């Protein structure tokens, strides 16, 4: 097997002249959807409706991941066109669910950097992170509605908070578009050196969490 970028160390790749094949995270998702459309890409455990019921799993293929991220990107843009038409950093407050994955990928597909906020943050920490990263829009899962609203109130109106567009009773069906739906998204020209998303520190040593940016190149 010939060595490639993902099986080499950075030093080996540089010595062999092997370049990273994908510029952005969206490029990587699209390539995997084309090369391995039916292979499982990600799965989520699903509890039964009753305590005694067995757990199941919700699995998405690489083709699903691409299509779902495009569909969610179109939905977000339709609901927030005024804000999302301008490239910026968007905050995301959500548990590790399909909603989180597809919103994260969707925002990057639209050309935005995404501030991933840990749910254990208190409202002042959320506001401080958003202020540091110049975030004016925070998208939140309904389970964190109170925290998001408290953060918005603490920000004195500087932070707009909006719930994710996934109905509680039919969440799974909202990820994939209807079979005859045509999705048209603006062409987001993003370079590999631009910030794709931001993690943050815990803030235990400094008092407030500090953002840790990751470029598309690093993310890929």
């Amino acid at each position: 097997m010939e060595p490639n970028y993902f099986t080499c160390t950075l030093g080996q790749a540089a010595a062999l002249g092997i370049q990273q094949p994908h510029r952005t995270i969206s490029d990587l998702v699209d390539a995997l959807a084309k090369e391995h459309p039916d292979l499982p890409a990600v799965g989520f455990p699903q509890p039964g409706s009753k305590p005694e019921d067995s757990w199941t799993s919700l699995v998405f293929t690489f083709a699903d991941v691409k299509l779902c991220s495009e569909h969610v990107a179109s939905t977000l843009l339709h609901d927030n066109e005024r804000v999302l038409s301008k490239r910026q950093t968007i905050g995301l407050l959500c548990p590790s669910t399909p909603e989180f994955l597809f919103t994260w990928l969707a925002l990057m597909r639209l050309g935005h950097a995404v501030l991933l906020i840990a749910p254990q943050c208190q409202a002042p920490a959320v506001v401080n992170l958003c202020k540091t990263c110049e975030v004016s829009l925070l998208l939140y899962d309904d389970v964190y509605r109170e925290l998001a609203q408290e953060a918005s109130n603490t920000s004195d109106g500087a932070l707009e908070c909006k719930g994710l567009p996934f109905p509680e009773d039919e969440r799974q069906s909202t990820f994939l578009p209807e079979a005859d739906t045509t999705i048209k998204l603006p062409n987001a020209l993003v370079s590999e050196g631009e910030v794709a998303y931001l993690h943050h520190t815990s803030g235990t040593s400094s008092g407030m969490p500090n953002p840790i940016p990751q470029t598309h190149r690093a993310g890929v």
Side-chain angles (χ1 to χ4, degrees):
M1 179 179 177
E2 291 293 324
N4 61 60
Y5 189 86
F6 296 106
T7 61
C8 293
T9 65
L10 291 176
Q12 291 170 332
L16 294 171
I18 300 174
Q19 299 295 316
Q20 183 165 284
H22 309 295
R23 295 184 312 105
T24 69
I25 292 172
S26 294
D27 289 344
L28 175 62
V29 171
D30 294 349
L32 290 171
K34 182 177 180 180
E35 296 169 13
H36 310 289
D38 299 322
L39 288 182
V42 62
F44 296 87
Q46 301 289 297
S49 56
K50 299 178 181 178
E52 63 271 19
D53 291 344
S54 299
W55 284 49
T56 59
S57 59
L58 178 61
V59 178
F60 295 92
T61 66
F62 285 111
D64 291 335
V65 171
K66 178 180 186 296
L67 188 58
C68 289
S69 66
E70 290 176 337
H71 178 53
V72 173
S74 178
T75 301
L76 290 173
L77 188 61
H78 179 269
D79 294 346
N80 306 275
E81 186 172 6
R82 178 184 60 82
V83 177
L84 296 184
S85 59
K86 177 184 177 182
R87 286 176 58 186
Q88 57 186 293
T89 302
I90 306 296
L92 180 58
L93 180 62
C94 187
S96 297
T97 58
E99 291 85 354
F100 166 79
L101 175 64
F102 297 130
T103 301
W104 180 18
L105 293 175
L107 289 169
M108 290 188 292
R109 188 173 287 278
L110 292 171
H112 303 288
V114 187
L115 172 62
L116 307 174
I117 301 175
Q120 63 265 29
C121 285
Q122 300 297 312
V126 174
V127 173
N128 184 71
L129 279 168
C130 290
K131 182 178 180 180
T132 302
C133 298
E134 299 182 347
V135 169
S136 60
L137 175 63
L138 173 66
L139 300 176
Y140 64 87
D141 185 277
D142 193 62
V143 70
Y144 298 126
R145 175 189 296 272
E146 290 187 9
L147 174 58
Q149 291 179 342
E150 184 181 353
S152 180
N153 294 335
T154 304
S155 73
D156 295 326
L159 183 63
E160 179 183 5
C161 295
K162 298 194 68 173
L164 294 176
F166 304 113
E168 181 67 33
D169 55 344
E170 297 182 8
R171 287 194 169 195
Q172 185 174 344
S173 64
T174 60
F175 297 132
L176 287 165
E178 298 293 334
D180 57 349
T181 301
T182 300
I183 300 175
K184 293 184 178 180
L185 297 173
N187 185 20
L189 299 177
V190 180
S191 70
E192 63 182 23
E194 292 185 61
V195 173
Y197 56 92
L198 303 96
H199 294 298
H200 60 79
T201 63
S202 64
T204 53
S205 60
S206 61
M208 282 291 179
N210 294 306
I212 307 172
Q214 298 289 328
T215 64
H216 278 273
R217 180 179 179 84
V220 168

